[in-house]
Short mmCIF file of all heavy atoms in Angstrom, two decimals:
data_model
loop_
_atom_site.label_atom_id
_atom_site.label_comp_id
_atom_site.label_asym_id
_atom_site.label_seq_id
_atom_site.Cartn_x
_atom_site.Cartn_y
_atom_site.Cartn_z
N ASP A 317 83.73 23.04 -11.55
CA ASP A 317 83.56 23.67 -10.26
C ASP A 317 84.75 24.57 -9.88
O ASP A 317 84.91 24.95 -8.81
CB ASP A 317 83.27 22.69 -9.14
CG ASP A 317 84.31 21.60 -9.04
OD1 ASP A 317 85.32 21.71 -9.82
OD2 ASP A 317 84.18 20.65 -8.30
N VAL A 318 85.57 24.84 -10.93
CA VAL A 318 86.74 25.64 -10.72
C VAL A 318 86.68 26.71 -11.82
O VAL A 318 86.59 26.40 -12.99
CB VAL A 318 88.06 24.88 -10.83
CG1 VAL A 318 89.26 25.80 -10.95
CG2 VAL A 318 88.17 23.89 -9.68
N PHE A 319 86.67 27.99 -11.47
CA PHE A 319 86.45 28.98 -12.50
C PHE A 319 87.67 29.82 -12.84
O PHE A 319 87.69 30.54 -13.82
CB PHE A 319 85.29 29.88 -12.10
CG PHE A 319 84.06 29.11 -11.77
CD1 PHE A 319 83.42 29.29 -10.53
CD2 PHE A 319 83.61 28.07 -12.52
CE1 PHE A 319 82.32 28.56 -10.12
CE2 PHE A 319 82.52 27.28 -12.17
CZ PHE A 319 81.84 27.54 -10.99
N SER A 320 88.71 29.89 -12.00
CA SER A 320 89.91 30.56 -12.32
C SER A 320 90.61 29.84 -13.41
O SER A 320 90.81 28.59 -13.32
CB SER A 320 90.80 30.70 -11.09
OG SER A 320 92.13 30.47 -11.37
N THR A 321 90.94 30.53 -14.45
CA THR A 321 91.64 29.95 -15.62
C THR A 321 92.94 29.26 -15.14
O THR A 321 93.26 28.17 -15.52
CB THR A 321 91.87 30.98 -16.71
OG1 THR A 321 90.68 31.61 -17.04
CG2 THR A 321 92.53 30.42 -17.93
N TYR A 322 93.67 29.97 -14.28
CA TYR A 322 94.93 29.35 -13.75
C TYR A 322 94.69 28.07 -13.03
O TYR A 322 95.37 27.12 -13.16
CB TYR A 322 95.58 30.39 -12.71
CG TYR A 322 96.72 31.15 -13.26
CD1 TYR A 322 96.59 32.55 -13.35
CD2 TYR A 322 97.87 30.54 -13.67
CE1 TYR A 322 97.62 33.33 -13.82
CE2 TYR A 322 98.92 31.38 -14.10
CZ TYR A 322 98.79 32.74 -14.18
OH TYR A 322 99.76 33.48 -14.68
N ASP A 323 93.66 28.12 -12.12
CA ASP A 323 93.41 26.87 -11.34
C ASP A 323 93.01 25.76 -12.24
O ASP A 323 93.37 24.57 -11.98
CB ASP A 323 92.29 27.17 -10.26
CG ASP A 323 92.84 28.10 -9.17
OD1 ASP A 323 94.10 28.24 -9.11
OD2 ASP A 323 92.03 28.60 -8.43
N GLN A 324 92.24 25.96 -13.21
CA GLN A 324 91.88 24.93 -14.20
C GLN A 324 93.16 24.35 -14.86
O GLN A 324 93.28 23.17 -15.07
CB GLN A 324 90.96 25.38 -15.24
CG GLN A 324 89.53 25.66 -14.76
CD GLN A 324 88.72 26.13 -15.97
OE1 GLN A 324 88.65 25.48 -16.97
NE2 GLN A 324 88.15 27.33 -15.77
N MET A 325 94.00 25.24 -15.23
CA MET A 325 95.28 24.84 -15.94
C MET A 325 96.08 23.84 -15.05
O MET A 325 96.86 23.01 -15.53
CB MET A 325 96.15 26.02 -16.28
CG MET A 325 95.72 26.83 -17.44
SD MET A 325 96.79 28.25 -17.61
CE MET A 325 96.52 28.68 -19.31
N GLU A 326 95.91 23.97 -13.72
CA GLU A 326 96.62 23.15 -12.74
C GLU A 326 95.88 21.96 -12.28
O GLU A 326 96.30 21.16 -11.45
CB GLU A 326 97.14 23.96 -11.60
CG GLU A 326 98.22 24.92 -12.03
CD GLU A 326 98.61 25.95 -11.00
OE1 GLU A 326 97.95 25.97 -9.96
OE2 GLU A 326 99.47 26.76 -11.33
N ASP A 327 94.63 21.78 -12.72
CA ASP A 327 93.73 20.74 -12.21
C ASP A 327 93.59 19.64 -13.22
O ASP A 327 93.07 19.81 -14.30
CB ASP A 327 92.35 21.43 -11.93
CG ASP A 327 91.40 20.52 -11.11
OD1 ASP A 327 91.46 19.31 -11.30
OD2 ASP A 327 90.65 21.11 -10.27
N GLU A 328 94.07 18.49 -12.83
CA GLU A 328 94.06 17.32 -13.77
C GLU A 328 92.72 16.90 -14.26
O GLU A 328 92.57 16.23 -15.21
CB GLU A 328 94.81 16.10 -13.09
CG GLU A 328 96.29 16.38 -13.12
CD GLU A 328 97.10 15.29 -12.40
OE1 GLU A 328 96.44 14.32 -11.99
OE2 GLU A 328 98.31 15.45 -12.23
N ARG A 329 91.64 17.24 -13.51
CA ARG A 329 90.32 16.91 -13.92
C ARG A 329 89.88 17.63 -15.18
O ARG A 329 88.95 17.22 -15.86
CB ARG A 329 89.28 17.16 -12.79
CG ARG A 329 89.45 16.31 -11.56
CD ARG A 329 88.49 16.84 -10.46
NE ARG A 329 88.67 18.18 -10.12
CZ ARG A 329 87.77 18.98 -9.61
NH1 ARG A 329 86.56 18.55 -9.43
NH2 ARG A 329 88.00 20.23 -9.30
N PHE A 330 90.56 18.75 -15.43
CA PHE A 330 90.17 19.53 -16.58
C PHE A 330 91.40 19.75 -17.47
O PHE A 330 92.10 20.74 -17.39
CB PHE A 330 89.68 20.95 -16.08
CG PHE A 330 88.67 20.85 -14.98
CD1 PHE A 330 88.89 21.43 -13.77
CD2 PHE A 330 87.45 20.10 -15.16
CE1 PHE A 330 88.02 21.30 -12.74
CE2 PHE A 330 86.58 19.97 -14.14
CZ PHE A 330 86.83 20.54 -12.94
N PRO A 331 91.64 18.77 -18.34
CA PRO A 331 92.86 18.77 -19.18
C PRO A 331 92.98 19.96 -20.11
O PRO A 331 94.06 20.33 -20.60
CB PRO A 331 92.81 17.48 -19.92
CG PRO A 331 91.40 16.99 -19.89
CD PRO A 331 90.81 17.51 -18.64
N ASN A 332 91.81 20.56 -20.49
CA ASN A 332 91.83 21.71 -21.45
C ASN A 332 91.13 22.85 -20.80
O ASN A 332 89.85 22.90 -20.81
CB ASN A 332 91.17 21.31 -22.77
CG ASN A 332 91.72 20.10 -23.36
OD1 ASN A 332 91.09 19.00 -23.31
ND2 ASN A 332 92.91 20.15 -23.87
N ALA A 333 91.89 23.75 -20.16
CA ALA A 333 91.25 24.84 -19.43
C ALA A 333 90.37 25.67 -20.35
O ALA A 333 90.64 25.88 -21.51
CB ALA A 333 92.30 25.80 -18.87
N TYR A 334 89.22 26.12 -19.75
CA TYR A 334 88.31 27.10 -20.39
C TYR A 334 88.95 28.52 -20.20
O TYR A 334 89.49 28.77 -19.09
CB TYR A 334 86.93 27.07 -19.75
CG TYR A 334 86.22 25.83 -20.04
CD1 TYR A 334 86.34 24.65 -19.20
CD2 TYR A 334 85.20 25.76 -20.98
CE1 TYR A 334 85.61 23.50 -19.46
CE2 TYR A 334 84.43 24.59 -21.25
CZ TYR A 334 84.69 23.47 -20.49
OH TYR A 334 83.94 22.34 -20.67
N LEU A 335 88.84 29.37 -21.15
CA LEU A 335 89.33 30.73 -21.01
C LEU A 335 88.25 31.51 -20.21
O LEU A 335 87.33 32.07 -20.86
CB LEU A 335 89.67 31.39 -22.34
CG LEU A 335 91.01 31.07 -23.02
CD1 LEU A 335 92.13 31.70 -22.12
CD2 LEU A 335 91.28 29.65 -23.20
N PHE A 336 88.36 31.59 -18.95
CA PHE A 336 87.41 32.31 -18.08
C PHE A 336 88.10 33.63 -17.61
O PHE A 336 88.15 34.51 -18.42
CB PHE A 336 87.00 31.42 -16.92
CG PHE A 336 86.01 30.33 -17.26
CD1 PHE A 336 85.56 29.41 -16.35
CD2 PHE A 336 85.33 30.27 -18.48
CE1 PHE A 336 84.59 28.45 -16.58
CE2 PHE A 336 84.34 29.31 -18.78
CZ PHE A 336 84.01 28.37 -17.85
#
Side-chain angles (χ1 to χ4, degrees):
D317 55 6
V318 170
F319 310 129
S320 138
T321 305
Y322 260 116
D323 289 345
Q324 287 179 56
M325 283 175 160
E326 288 169 0
D327 193 324
E328 287 175 4
R329 293 176 300 154
F330 313 120
N332 307 105
Y334 291 83
L335 275 295
F336 284 172

